[in-house]
Amino acid sequence: MNQTIAITPVDLSLTAVLVVILAGCSWLLRLGIGWQLLIAATRMVVQLLLVGLVLTWVFGIATLWLVMAWGIAMVAIAGYEIYARQSQRLGRRGYAIGSGAMALSSGVVAILMLVVVVQPDPPWSPQYAIPLLGMLLGNTMNGVAIGMERLTTSMRKQKPVIEARLLLGHSFDQAVMQLRREAMNAGLIPTINGMAIAGLVSLPGMMTGQILAGADPMTAVLYQILIWLGIAGGTGFGALAAVVWTTASLSDDRDRLRLDRLHAKAAE
Amino acid sequence: MSPSLFEARDIRTAVIGPWDVTLPARTTTVMSGPSGSGKTLLLRCLADLDPHAGSLTLRGADSLDVDGPTWRSRVGFLPSECAWWGDRVGDHFPDHDAAFVTALGFDDDVLSWTVDRLSSGERQRLGLARLLAIGPRVLLLDEPTANLDAGHATSVEQLVKGYVSEDERAALWVSHDPAQWQRVGDRHYEIDADGLVEVGA
């Protein structure tokens, strides 16, 4: 294996100049995006450096409880991100649905991959468990958030149609079947498109990182396939759980449409 | 006294009631009241489409004895505007049953029409036909002739009268038109400041 070329603070500063020049151009042309760009870039640097420090510490300790605590924190943050992106809110139940869907999909897929497929020793080795879970969460989060958003907005918009079917004696499941299908579709399309162009248009981020870090391309490819299949499964089951739970939350034991439980996000 | 075909006791929500509604078999009861008085909200409760307090019975059996969809297929509510989900009219009829469609002056081939070419009056009449096709015992009609000319209004009135008299059936008909109350109403409820009262009882 090749020796990884170390990145020095000078290298990073040179790259950062790009962003600073861009911010300067924005200021000159009054594009109004300069500050946002600088703040986001600074945040990114600070966040990643902190994560690097903490990860170094976690890798050193590597106990099961620490890795689990880290995983739960990641799921909780992802659940909050999903909730924050919804334009129609289901309250505490909505947060529970988002986090539950993430835990169920990404969590189960990550455990499956660690215990059955990759089999590091021990299975909770943080070098494997944390990046794998992070990669899964980052991708399945979009599927879950898009699926939920699509379902709740279309249920509000299509209220007359749903109620027309209920009034003809259809069950709630029948009445929202089409909307549920569209929501699943919307949640899964980005993953399907991503798999379709994998390796042709762009090299996925993880693979790029591995190759740059000196791994043999074939090893990187095999890991990337593993990740894509995991993401597809995780996104699919995550979106499925979120869509099924959201549908159930918007109905009751009399098969009514209960939009009264859904509140529009307060304007910011 | 034998129980009426349909009885609603103490129906109330945060906004309306408590109100009682009784519909004897083979009768049409008209209901009137200023807009905003809660007529549509009441019909939604009677069809168990909105959560409510109070009890609903059909032929002595409580609404909670059956599931929501079964209740709504027996106590059929026709909203003032009918939504359509399929591409063609026939997609909304069980087994493409055209019996009530022809009674309302359409040809059989209306079932193959696309929904987007329907006028608002046609939507309203076909909405009624689509509801009658599932055979409800009780009809809750929210201004079913509001968008119709006199001729079509008459055919809707006759169809409903005939449907109700045929079997153990009843209708509750929201209308603002005094002449229509005379033509179709065996009884008359009015919602006013005192609540829901039977006129002339």
Side-chain angles (χ1 to χ4, degrees):
Chain A
M1 198 179 282
N2 304 327
Q3 186 63 42
T4 306
I5 302 167
I7 298 202
T8 64
V10 179
D11 300 333
L12 291 182
S13 312
L14 282 175
T15 325
V17 168
L18 257 184
V19 175
V20 173
I21 293 174
L22 186 59
C25 290
S26 162
W27 182 75
L28 277 178
L29 298 172
R30 297 177 197 285
L31 301 178
I33 195 86
W35 268 118
Q36 262 174 286
L37 188 71
L38 286 179
I39 291 170
T42 314
R43 257 191 72 166
M44 179 272 291
V45 170
V46 174
Q47 277 169 214
L48 285 182
L49 286 178
L50 281 177
V51 168
L53 282 176
V54 179
L55 277 182
T56 310
W57 176 69
V58 172
F59 283 15
I61 299 176
T63 56
L64 175 59
W65 69 265
L66 189 62
V67 175
M68 274 179 64
W70 186 276
I72 289 169
M74 285 165 85
V75 168
I77 293 170
Y80 180 77
E81 277 296 317
I82 291 174
Y83 180 71
R85 288 192 214 168
Q86 304 298 312
S87 67
Q88 308 282 324
R89 299 285 178 78
L90 259 170
R92 207 170 293 165
R93 208 195 297 227
Y95 176 71
I97 290 175
S99 313
M102 296 306 289
L104 189 80
S105 58
S106 295
V108 170
V109 172
I111 290 171
L112 188 85
M113 282 188 161
L114 288 170
V115 175
V116 181
V117 187
V118 185
Q119 294 182 336
D121 181 36
W124 59 86
S125 300
Q127 289 91 327
Y128 290 89
I130 290 174
L132 203 59
L133 183 63
M135 182 75 98
L136 286 167
L137 285 172
N139 284 279
T140 58
M141 214 172 80
N142 290 320
V144 171
I146 295 170
M148 271 177 83
E149 170 72 13
R150 178 66 175 266
L151 186 67
T152 51
T153 51
S154 67
M155 277 170 91
R156 194 177 278 292
K157 239 187 264 166
Q158 303 267 11
K159 177 184 179 210
V161 167
I162 298 171
E163 291 196 335
R165 298 191 72 158
L166 293 177
L167 287 172
L168 292 172
H170 296 188
S171 70
F172 190 76
D173 280 342
Q174 275 175 295
V176 298
M177 192 173 58
Q178 183 63 28
L179 302 184
R180 200 143 68 169
R181 188 179 305 162
E182 287 167 10
M184 272 305 284
N185 211 357
L188 279 182
I189 286 262
T191 306
I192 292 173
N193 288 345
M195 286 198 287
I197 60 159
L200 296 180
V201 178
S202 67
L203 289 184
M206 172 187 167
M207 212 170 111
T208 312
Q210 272 195 311
I211 293 175
L212 288 181
D216 153 55
M218 216 45 213
T219 311
V221 160
L222 293 180
Y223 269 91
Q224 190 59 49
I225 291 174
L226 186 74
I227 287 287
W228 262 122
L229 295 178
I231 288 172
T235 310
F237 285 114
L240 189 67
V243 162
V244 168
W245 290 338
T246 303
T247 317
S249 307
L250 290 173
S251 184
D252 59 20
D253 55 349
R254 305 297 294 164
D255 280 43
R256 301 179 186 118
L257 175 62
R258 298 296 301 273
L259 288 179
D260 53 315
R261 294 179 183 157
L262 205 57
H263 303 282
K265 180 182 184 175
E268 283 167 18
Chain B
M1 209 181 82
S2 67
S4 280
L5 175 73
F6 177 90
E7 293 192 11
R9 294 267 163 263
D10 250 355
I11 297 303
R12 62 187 186 279
T13 68
V15 189
I16 62 162
W19 291 335
D20 291 340
V21 173
T22 308
L23 303 176
R26 298 175 202 273
T27 62
T28 297
T29 304
V30 293
M31 186 163 70
S32 58
S35 33
S37 57
K39 300 184 296 294
T40 300
L41 291 176
L42 174 62
L43 296 192
R44 290 174 63 91
C45 290
L46 299 184
D48 207 4
L49 192 63
D50 280 344
H52 57 85
S55 71
L56 301 168
T57 56
L58 179 65
R59 303 171 103 196
D62 197 275
S63 62
L64 298 178
D65 294 346
V66 295
D67 59 24
T70 307
W71 178 261
R72 288 187 282 270
S73 64
R74 292 176 187 166
V75 178
F77 169 37
L78 181 71
S80 54
E81 293 202 7
C82 294
W84 303 78
W85 59 92
D87 292 332
R88 294 187 182 278
V89 175
D91 299 342
H92 306 81
F93 286 77
D95 308 321
H96 290 247
D97 176 6
F100 295 104
V101 167
T102 46
L104 285 170
F106 290 99
D107 288 332
D108 280 1
D109 80 331
V110 70
L111 293 187
S112 64
W113 288 10
T114 56
V115 167
D116 47 19
R117 69 179 262 201
L118 300 176
S119 70
S120 61
E122 286 168 338
R123 280 167 181 262
Q124 202 162 29
R125 286 150 67 212
L126 288 168
L128 176 63
R130 146 185 118 170
L131 181 65
L132 295 182
I134 63 169
R137 285 215 174 258
V138 174
L139 298 176
L140 309 169
L141 308 172
D142 197 353
E143 301 188 50
T145 58
N147 296 319
L148 304 185
D149 59 53
H152 285 130
T154 305
S155 66
V156 165
E157 289 170 4
Q158 284 170 351
L159 180 67
V160 171
K161 291 291 281 183
Y163 182 86
V164 166
S165 65
E166 233 169 63
D167 198 350
E168 292 270 295
R169 292 169 177 162
L172 179 60
W173 185 314
V174 172
S175 170
H176 290 293
D177 175 7
Q180 191 169 50
W181 304 342
Q182 295 298 319
R183 288 195 300 273
V184 302
D186 302 305
R187 297 162 68 241
H188 186 166
Y189 279 127
E190 190 174 279
I191 298 182
D192 60 18
D194 299 329
L196 179 75
V197 289
E198 186 171 350
V199 180

